[in-house]
């Protein structure tokens, strides 16, 4: 099963793992704190299976139809992440299947997730923040993040484990650094509140083009598609 540039998925995973280890050594981070999400939205079930066979555990999907098809084919393998925009009416489709949601940005969605979560269980959520201010990107404004998270305390089926952002695509990934740094600073600000419903330890940021910069700035979950599984 080939990924990017004719390399196999296994070769890509090996290469990325080496890079992650080198970056962690460079900036003094523990490699065990880093989780690689294989974003499989553009590839087949077979390629997603190949990623799991390499030892990767985390799989990311961003459309409900594809998300359900892959989950049904591959579970109980993998830890499943929904990383795209989720309509409130479709919350029921991922509850009980996907452990993580990377795109919480509306109280209405939190309400739907909470209503459908089994008693005693929580959806692990990242609040999506539009750090770059691009109109084409989802997420709430950085100035609204703290107040938004505070309102989520009443939804017992929701746990805000961190923040997520998408940086613009730049030819020079170094240009993403201020965006990732801003998200880290915002995460640290929320974490200082010590809210039980929002421990906010994690950072979901960095994709195929810019994950190295994201790691240097504190990413704990990196979402890698093309560079890992290719594009079919």
């Amino acid at each position: 099963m080939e990924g990017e540039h004719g390399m196999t998925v296994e070769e890509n995973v090996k290469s990325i793992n080496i890079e992650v280890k080198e970056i962690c050594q460079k900036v003094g981070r523990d490699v065990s704190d880093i989780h690689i999400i294989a974003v499989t939205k553009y590839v087949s079930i077979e390629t997603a299976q190949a990623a799991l066979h390499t030892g990767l555990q985390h799989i990311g999907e961003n459309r409900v139809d594809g998300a359900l098809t892959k989950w049904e084919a591959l579970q109980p393998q993998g830890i499943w992440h929904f990383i795209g925009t989720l309509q409130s009416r479709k919350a029921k489709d991922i509850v009980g299947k996907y452990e993580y949601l990377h795109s919480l940005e509306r109280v209405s969605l939190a309400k739907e997730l909470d209503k459908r979560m089994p008693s005693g269980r929580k959806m692990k959520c990242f609040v999506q923040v539009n750090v770059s201010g691009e109109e084409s990107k989802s997420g709430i404004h950085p100035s609204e993040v703290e107040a938004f998270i505070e309102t989520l305390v009443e939804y017992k089926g929701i746990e805000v484990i961190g923040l997520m952002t998408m940086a613009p695509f730049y030819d020079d990934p170094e240009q993403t650094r201020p965006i990732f740094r801003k998200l880290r600073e915002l995460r640290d600000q929320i974490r200082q509140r010590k809210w039980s419903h929002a421990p906010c330890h994690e950072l979901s940021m960095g994709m195929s083009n810019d994950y190295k910069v994201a790691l240097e700035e504190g990413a704990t979950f990196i979402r890698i598609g093309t560079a890992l599984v290719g594009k079919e």
Side-chain angles (χ1 to χ4, degrees), residues 14-210:
K14 198 172 292 184
S15 174
I16 290 168
N17 275 330
I18 289 169
E19 288 175 335
V20 168
K21 186 175 181 180
E22 288 174 348
I23 291 168
C24 286
Q25 289 174 340
K26 172 184 170 184
V27 297
R29 299 190 60 193
D30 189 336
V31 72
S32 66
D33 292 336
I34 312 301
H35 308 283
I36 300 170
I37 303 171
V39 179
T40 56
K41 61 183 178 179
Y42 292 124
V43 300
S44 65
I45 290 169
E46 290 74 22
T47 301
Q49 178 72 81
L52 288 168
H53 278 166
T54 70
L56 283 182
Q57 291 184 297
H58 299 275
I59 296 285
E61 284 284 322
N62 78 332
R63 293 187 181 92
V64 170
D65 291 345
L68 294 179
T69 300
K70 284 202 178 75
W71 181 86
E72 287 164 0
L74 297 174
Q75 59 89 26
Q77 301 172 83
I79 298 168
W80 294 80
H81 298 248
F82 195 85
I83 61 177
T85 299
L86 181 65
Q87 295 174 308
S88 297
R89 64 185 178 85
K90 293 193 173 183
K92 65 182 186 299
D93 295 326
I94 71 162
V95 167
K97 301 177 177 70
Y98 278 63
E99 290 186 40
Y100 292 82
L101 174 70
H102 289 243
S103 53
L104 182 59
E105 57 172 343
R106 306 183 314 279
V107 170
S108 59
L109 177 56
K111 184 176 181 180
E112 280 299 310
L113 290 167
D114 179 61
K115 184 166 70 175
R116 298 175 185 285
M117 285 301 293
S119 178
R121 292 187 58 191
K122 295 179 185 289
M123 176 70 79
K124 298 173 184 175
C125 293
F126 291 87
V127 169
Q128 184 168 356
V129 186
N130 188 352
V131 178
S132 68
E134 289 180 286
E135 289 186 10
S136 62
K137 287 194 167 49
S138 299
I140 61 178
H141 190 275
S143 65
E144 299 171 350
V145 170
E146 191 165 341
F148 174 70
I149 293 177
E150 192 167 15
T151 68
L152 300 177
V153 66
E154 64 182 283
Y155 302 110
K156 304 305 180 188
I158 298 290
E159 182 180 31
V160 179
I161 64 165
L163 304 180
M164 182 276 247
T165 200
M166 295 177 66
F169 182 91
Y170 293 116
D171 290 331
D172 179 8
E174 184 62 31
Q175 291 182 261
T176 63
R177 191 174 297 279
I179 292 165
F180 295 144
R181 184 168 295 168
K182 172 69 174 176
L183 193 74
R184 171 168 51 82
E185 291 169 350
L186 195 53
R187 187 276 313 267
D188 292 347
Q189 177 184 321
I190 302 299
R191 193 163 57 175
Q192 286 174 6
R193 298 297 299 267
K194 300 188 184 303
W195 284 323
S196 59
H197 74 288
C200 214
H201 294 303
E202 311 292 350
L203 284 172
S204 171
M205 59 189 195
M207 299 190 292
S208 290
N209 187 56
D210 53 25

